[in-house]
Amino acid sequence: MNNHQKIILENPSKSDLSLPKNDNKDKTKTHKYSKKLHPNKPLITVVTVVFNGDKFLEETIKSVIKQTYGNIEYIIIDGGSTDRTVDIIKKYEDKIAYWVSEKDDGIADAFNKGVMAAKGEYINFQGDSDGFYSTCALEKVFNNVNTKEDVLISAKVQRVDINGKELYVSKHVSNFNKKSLLFRMSIPHQGLFTHKSYFEKYGLFDVNNVFCMDYEHLLRSYHHFPKVLTKNIIVARWRADGLNNDRILEIFKEYCQIKNNNKVASNLFLYFIKYWSLLKFYIKTLLKKI
């Protein structure tokens, strides 16, 4: 475990989760808009991080602001885009609680800015090419939710190609088993709603992770894993980004390092998982070429 992560874990004070200071008024626009119409339902913060994502960003924004669920706070963290991204954000800024456009230190850093700005009881992340499946998606997910017990809420996601065509839908698991996390990120990121208390207990995302910061964030709690409420509802679309095999192997390497750092299992068992997963990957790659 690196020192940066260790400090966050040992000192998860509420001050660490405060709204970032606005020191550059030319780059930052802050609004107080948050859609909270029902005092007895939790406020949901939806965070979108983006960098030069003007191709699909407007579609993503519309999927959020058109939700029928009454209590939504929308935050957009832009990494200093040079395309039309900022123009698109400004077009909808009256429906955005907070947005910023400035250089960051990667996806995890951008995620952390969103978490620190969030006022909601639950936080969800939608990529700039992702978005909610239907206008009533959040309303369905947050039906019969106990905010005092349901720390993690997981719903299904629809995987789509670059053109929006369905590739598959993630499976519903009625009783989540944390051991599935030893093999893969078994809770779809776009379908995960994390209670703010989890961040206060386990800290922010580790900026040293390039690809799998969400996976590492969950594995920190592996030995005392919180309750996961699963919903048999498609909540979001997750767009494929066309990763090549070299990039997939980089992600796999980071997965292995994360599991070792968090000591989620014995070294022998993690060794077995590593080479079993590699074997499956190469067999799958070979079969595609036949």
Side-chain angles (χ1 to χ4, degrees), residues 194-209:
T194 305
H195 198 279
K196 192 72 175 282
S197 63
Y198 185 93
F199 289 95
E200 292 172 347
K201 183 174 183 178
Y202 292 103
L204 300 172
F205 295 98
D206 186 348
V207 296
N208 294 296
N209 290 311

Side-chain angles (χ1 to χ4, degrees), residues 27-44:
K27 289 189 175 183
T28 307
K29 297 290 183 181
T30 305
H31 298 273
K32 295 181 179 180
Y33 179 91
S34 60
K35 185 180 174 184
K36 187 165 186 179
L37 304 178
H38 305 292
N40 296 325
K41 292 184 178 181
L43 177 65
I44 312 305

Side-chain angles (χ1 to χ4, degrees), residues 162-194:
I162 197 69
N163 298 312
K165 183 179 179 180
E166 181 179 308
L167 299 174
Y168 63 84
V169 174
S170 61
K171 295 180 180 179
H172 171 67
V173 179
S174 56
N175 295 304
F176 180 77
N177 187 338
K178 68 176 185 179
K179 291 182 179 178
S180 62
L181 287 168
L182 295 177
F183 296 87
R184 66 191 186 283
M185 177 60 172
S186 53
I187 300 178
H189 182 60
Q190 290 79 359
L192 176 63
F193 299 81
T194 305

